[in-house]
Amino acid sequence: MGNGKKMRGAVLPGTSTVEFTEFEVPEPGPRQVLIEMKASSICGSDIRAIYREHLGKGPEAYQGVVAGHEPCGRIVKLGPGCRVRREGERVTVYHISGCGCCEDCMDGYQISCRSEIRAAYGWQRNGGHAPFLLAEEQDCIALPDELTYVDGAFLACGYGTVWECLTRMRLSGRDRLLITGLGPVGLAAAQLGKALGAAQVIGVEIDEQRLDFAENLKFDDGVPLVDHTVTSDEEALDKVLKLTDSRGCEVSIDCSGAASARLLALRGTRQWGRCGYVGEGGKVEFDVSQHLIHPQITLYGSWVTSRRHLADLAGFLASKRLHPDITSGPQFPLREAAQAYEIADRGHTGKVSIVFE
Ligand SMILES: [Zn+2]
Ligand SMILES: [Zn+2]
């Protein structure tokens, strides 16, 4: 199927390079929509599991499709039988398409769908690094007028993941928040944490340039996203304790995936507090009695979010007039996708994205 028109899409051969392949501009089938891409950001998972090497196995493997699992754009064509979405509508795309029928899909957690037809955009079906994207109607989340297309792209994976974990931990104004890892996901945790009311945000990071970047981020009224930045070294825990009356933070979240940072997040959590892990990959080892049981800590593992919660997040940001795109690093046109991935891989800036005219 197709209309005969061609487009070039970026694919990732797994050798820290980007290649361009010609694809047909797709024709939307039943209950599908064609989206003209406006922004398509790069996620740490793209770097870790596709760009540097292809890590996934079996159904999780990258299929050589157009990359980019954080797509945002405008619907330009509806397939037959679409029920809700309209032509011209601005949408962000929940980045996994599920079977639609299993318990996980019923809850909107398509990330957890185990059907053979489950496919992540940019991994098993074409993603956002091309001028057009074919999406299922049910995967599209309306983008409120208040939000930019880059905001929408950031929501699709990173912000959604952080929102899910922080709201599951019931972060509120009674809590201080410790964040380990101030990459794009950690910055999302800082912005959403403050917006959810966190009294104080402490961010720990090993990379000096990331620390600098985080220190300069502010809300419109001049309030910083991160109140205290701490360099990740052997004294980091002492510094966190000093900032919190020797108690630690009520809520902590690891956004790095590094073992030492995961342990720091746990040890920097106050007695009876909540600690969440969202950073992917790797391992962690700790003394369970000393660091988890005796301090009465609840440990959360949290993976992506649901379609419903993604829509909630979009509404929350619109009502607060908040823009995730303040955490943006450099933006590139599609033809410079190779540079975009190179910069994202170095990991010294805010979130890198590909933007379209
Ligand atoms: Zn992602
Ligand atoms: Zn399913």
Side-chain angles (χ1 to χ4, degrees), residues 80-118:
C82 282
R83 292 167 187 174
V84 179
R85 302 273 74 100
R86 293 285 167 258
E87 230 177 271
E89 201 175 358
R90 302 159 82 242
V91 291
T92 186
V93 180
Y94 182 92
H95 69 273
I96 297 105
S97 204
C99 70
C101 302
C102 71
E103 288 176 1
D104 295 306
C105 284
M106 279 193 260
D107 284 338
Y109 287 90
Q110 296 169 190
I111 181 72
S112 302
C113 173
R114 287 179 204 167
S115 159
E116 277 172 17
I117 67 161
R118 174 198 190 271

Side-chain angles (χ1 to χ4, degrees), residues 43 69-70 157:
C43 175
H69 69 268
E70 303 183 337
C157 177

